[in-house]
Amino acid sequence: MTAPNRLALLTPAQTAAIDSAGDVLAWMENAGRMAARAILRHWTPRPVLVACGPGANGGDGYVVARHLERAGWPVRVAALSPPREGSPAAAMAARWRGPIALFLPEAAARAGLVVDAVFGAGLSRDIDDRVADLLAAAPALAAIDVPSGLDGATGLAKGRVRAADLTIALSWARPGHYLLPGRALCGTLEIVDIGIPPAALERLELDAWRNAPGLWTLPPLAPDTAAGGGDSHKYSRGAVGVIGAAEMTGAARLAAGAARRAGAGLVTIAAESGADLYRTGDPGLIVDASPLSAQVVDPRRLAWVCGPGLPPAQAGEALKLLLKAGRQVIADAGALAACAGRPKRLRGVRIVTPHVGEFAKVFGRSSTSPDWRGRPDEVRAAAKAIGAVVVLKGTDTVIAAPDGRIAINTDAPPVLATAGAGDVLSGITGALLARGIDDFDAACAAVWLHGHAAQLARHGRSGDGVIAEDIAPWLGTAWAEAHALARRKALG
Ligand SMILES: NC(=O)C1=CN([C@@H]2O[C@H](COP(=O)(O)OP(=O)(O)OC[C@H]3O[C@@H](n4cnc5c(N)ncnc54)[C@H](OP(=O)(O)O)[C@@H]3O)[C@@H](O)[C@H]2O)[C@@H](O)CC1
Ligand SMILES: [K+]
C-alpha cells in the first residue's frame, strides 16, 4: 500500500508535532481566512459571535472574525480567557479591533451564527458548563477543526458537546471526524488547505487513513483480452472456498455469490452435509460434498470464508482444519463465536470481520456500549493480539492491521444494517484475498466495494429497501468506479 497524503487522518498529537516545526502564524492566518470563506459559502450574511478559547484554536477564531467583518458581516468576539502572552493566538487577538461580548449563552443566542473556536487539537479534559452552555445556545454553529469537546483522535465526546452544522478541518481530517459519535457531531465536514507543505507529513509516522480508492488499487475485474490477459483461467483469477452449514444455507450462498461477483474465478461451497440444498441454488456455484479434510488440501483453493451461517462447533472444527492446512482464512460469524473469549484461537487467520457484539465477545470486553467504538487503539490492539487484520463492522467500520495501520470507512449507507450484508462482505474479502491482494488492502477494498455497491443498489432500484441480495450485482460497477476514482484523484 502506498497511501496518498490526501487520505491521511491526523491525530491532535500529530498536528502538534507539525506545528512545533512550522510557521504557525502563517498557517493560523490561512486557517482563519479559509474558514471564513467556508462560512461565507454556507450562510447568508448575519450577526456572528466568534467564541475563542485561549489556545491556537482561539487564534484561528480571531482571524475568522477579522475576515467576516471585512466581508461586511456584524461580528463580535467572546473570549473564554485571553491567549498566552507572546503566543501566535495573542498576536491574532491583538489584531481584532471590533466589538467584544461577554462569554455568556445570551450573547450566543442573540447571534445568527456562532463560530466555535474554543478548543481544537489542544483539548485536554472534559469541557465545562460555561463552554457547553454558550455553544448550546447557538442558533447555528460552525466549528473550527472540531466541535469543542470532540476528541479528534477517537471521535468521543469529552463532556457535553454541541453538534456543529459545519466543521472546517484544517488541511487534513482527523479520525474523530469520521468515527462515531464524532461524525454525527461534525455536521457537514469541509477540509480547507491552510498551506502546510505535504513534506511536513514525512516527519510523522502516519498510521490512519480514510478508506477510499487510492489507498489501495485493484486489478481489473475481468482479464483484459486486448492486453493479453485472455489466457487467464478460472484458477488464476482466484479460487475461494466457503464452508457451508447443513441448515442455515443462505449465509454461505450469499458469501459465495458475492465472491463470484467480486471476480473469483471459481467458488466452491464445502458442504459435507446439506449438499443437495446448495445444489438447488445458483448453477454456477460448485458444491463439494467430500470430507472437508480432503478439500482443504487442494492447493488451488487458497482463500476460505469460514463462519457465515455456521454453528460455533462446526466453525471451530473447520477453522482448525483450514489453519492446519495453511489456508488463508476469513473468519466471521460462527468462527468468531467459536473463539469467544479465546482470541488466540484466531492466530493464523488472515482477516476477521466482527461486528461490535462479536468483537466484544472475542476480545473479552465486558461492555458493548457504543462509547468505546470510537477508540481505534482497541481495534489496533486486537489486530496485534491475533496477528490478523480486524474489520470492526459498523457505520464507521474500522479496519486495523497488526502493524498499527488503520483505515476508517466513511460512506457505508445505513441500509447495510440488514441480515446477510456481513456474509456478502466476507465473500468479497475472500475473492480479493484469493486474487493475491495483500491482507490489509483486501480488507479495505472489500469494505469500500461493499459499501459502494450498497449505495449503488440504493440509488439504482432498491431505494431504502436494499437487501443483502441486492448488493453483489452492483459489485462490477463499484469496481469500475473504484478504478475511475483512484485515477481521477491521482491526476487531480
Ligand atoms: N497544523 C495545524 O493544523 C494548525 C492548527 N491550528 C489550530 O491550532 C489548534 C490547536 O491549538 P492548541 O494546541 O493551542 O490547542 P487548543 O485546542 O486551542 O486549546 C489549548 C488551550 O485550551 C486549554 N484547554 C484544553 N482543554 C480545556 C478544557 N476542557 N477546559 C478548559 N481549558 C482547556 C489548554 O489548557 P491546558 O490543557 O494547557 O491546561 C490550552 O490553554 C488547532 O485545533 C487548530 O485550530 C492553526 O492555528 C495552526 C496550524
Ligand atoms: K473548535
Side-chain angles (χ1 to χ4, degrees), residues 2 35 54 56 59 95 121 164 185 254 263 269 274 297 315 355 367-368 377 425 471:
T2 335
R95 291 184 63 187
L185 290 170
L254 280 168
I269 293 202
V297 292
H355 54 59
S367 143
T368 52
D377 283 350
L425 175 66
I471 301 169

Side-chain angles (χ1 to χ4, degrees), residues 234-481:
K234 57 187 183 243
Y235 283 109
S236 70
R237 291 185 62 198
V240 176
V242 179
I243 310 279
E247 281 172 16
M248 283 179 61
T249 59
R253 283 161 55 194
L254 280 168
R260 293 177 64 207
R261 293 275 185 194
L266 188 79
V267 180
T268 308
I269 293 202
E272 283 182 89
S273 46
D276 288 344
L277 276 172
Y278 289 107
R279 288 196 178 107
T280 58
D282 294 345
L285 188 63
I286 314 289
V287 180
D288 188 340
S290 62
L292 185 61
S293 53
Q295 295 191 47
V296 296
V297 292
D298 178 350
R300 294 168 305 185
R301 265 187 261 168
L302 254 190
W304 284 80
V305 175
C306 180
L310 294 182
Q314 187 191 347
E317 285 309 309
L319 194 57
K320 276 192 214 150
L321 280 176
L322 291 167
L323 292 178
K324 198 161 159 234
R327 300 293 140 217
Q328 301 182 350
V329 180
I330 293 121
D332 187 30
L336 298 172
C339 301
R342 294 193 170 85
K344 291 221 161 72
R345 284 190 181 173
L346 288 164
R347 279 198 155 273
V349 306
R350 305 293 281 265
I351 299 171
V352 298
T353 53
H355 54 59
V356 183
E358 290 166 335
F359 185 97
K361 282 193 186 122
V362 173
F363 296 101
R365 284 196 58 92
S366 54
S367 143
T368 52
S369 113
D371 251 21
W372 69 270
R373 296 197 71 243
R375 296 177 201 164
D377 283 350
E378 296 219 18
V379 196
R380 282 193 174 103
K384 191 169 176 212
I386 61 169
V389 172
V390 175
V391 177
L392 177 61
K393 295 182 291 196
T395 32
D396 54 351
T397 294
V398 177
I399 305 125
D403 63 9
R405 287 172 297 160
I406 61 160
I408 301 171
N409 204 56
T410 56
D411 68 348
V415 291
L416 274 181
T418 181
D423 308 323
V424 172
L425 175 66
S426 61
I428 304 170
T429 314
L432 300 190
L433 263 194
R435 295 191 72 172
I437 298 171
D438 150 272
D439 301 0
F440 184 60
D441 286 10
C444 292
V447 167
W448 188 89
L449 287 169
H450 181 245
H452 199 66
Q455 292 281 19
L456 292 167
R458 187 169 175 222
H459 296 302
R461 232 182 15 228
S462 308
D464 284 343
V466 171
I467 56 172
E469 288 87 334
D470 297 340
I471 301 169
W474 287 97
L475 283 169
T477 314
W479 195 293
E481 291 189 3

